[in-house]
């Protein structure tokens, strides 16, 4: 006996779609990856892909199977995605120090740009 899944109401589906469209509903992390963390992430990605690809190529060459090269490369991609895509805490070791607000010459308001315009 087959069980059928009841369909979702249209209003529920449109609500979910609209929730994903609204960028403000996505939770934000308090820290972002800094420039040194971006550089480190790119280096880790580069060396993992290069290492797994080279080892796979050597093993695949001696066994005369290209699929081995592809499997090694795919494992390298999976590992590099896990290590490089999330914003891990070790990518946030050098936080960016932003300048303080500069008071406006005319009205005493604080501005954030260098030109003194509000």
């Amino acid at each position: 006996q087959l069980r059928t899944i009841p369909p979702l109401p249209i209003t529920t589906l449109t609500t979910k779609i609209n929730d994903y469209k609204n960028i403000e509903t996505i939770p934000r992390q308090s820290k972002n990856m800094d420039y040194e963390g971006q550089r480190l992430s790119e280096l880790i990605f580069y060396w993992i892909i290069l290492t797994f690809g080279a080892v796979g190529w050597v093993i695949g060459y001696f066994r005369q199977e290209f699929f081995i090269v592809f499997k090694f490369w795919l494992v390298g991609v999976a590992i590099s995605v896990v290590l490089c895509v999330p914003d891990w805490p070790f990518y946030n070791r050098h936080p960016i120090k932003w300048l303080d607000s500069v008071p406006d010459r005319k009205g005493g308001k604080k501005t954030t740009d260098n030109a003194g315009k509000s």
Side-chain angles (χ1 to χ4, degrees):
Q1 192 178 28
L2 292 174
R3 294 183 346 185
T4 59
I5 300 172
L8 289 172
I10 296 295
T11 56
T12 305
L13 289 175
T14 55
T15 303
K16 290 290 182 192
I17 292 171
N18 289 335
D19 284 346
Y20 287 116
K21 285 182 183 177
N22 188 1
I23 193 76
E24 296 302 322
T25 60
I26 298 173
R28 295 184 181 168
Q29 294 178 350
S30 61
K31 290 185 174 184
N32 293 325
M33 188 183 297
D34 54 39
Y35 294 121
E36 290 296 320
Q38 289 175 5
R39 187 175 73 68
L40 178 63
S41 174
E42 188 174 345
L43 282 174
I44 290 171
F45 168 77
Y46 175 77
W47 284 108
I48 288 174
I49 296 296
L50 186 68
T51 303
F52 275 83
V55 169
W57 186 84
V58 169
I59 293 172
Y61 179 77
F62 286 113
R63 291 194 177 183
Q64 293 296 310
E65 277 189 63
F66 180 75
F67 193 64
I68 291 175
V69 179
F70 179 71
K71 283 196 259 186
F72 267 86
W73 176 78
L74 195 61
V75 168
V77 168
I79 291 172
S80 64
V81 164
V82 168
L83 289 177
C84 299
V85 171
D87 191 13
W88 296 106
F90 62 88
Y91 292 135
N92 300 320
R93 290 185 180 166
H94 306 283
I96 299 170
K97 294 176 179 77
W98 298 100
L99 295 176
D100 291 333
S101 298
V102 179
D104 190 12
R105 292 182 188 167
K106 295 178 185 175
K109 298 178 190 174
K110 290 201 172 200
T111 59
T112 56
D113 63 349
N114 293 334
K117 299 176 185 174
S118 47

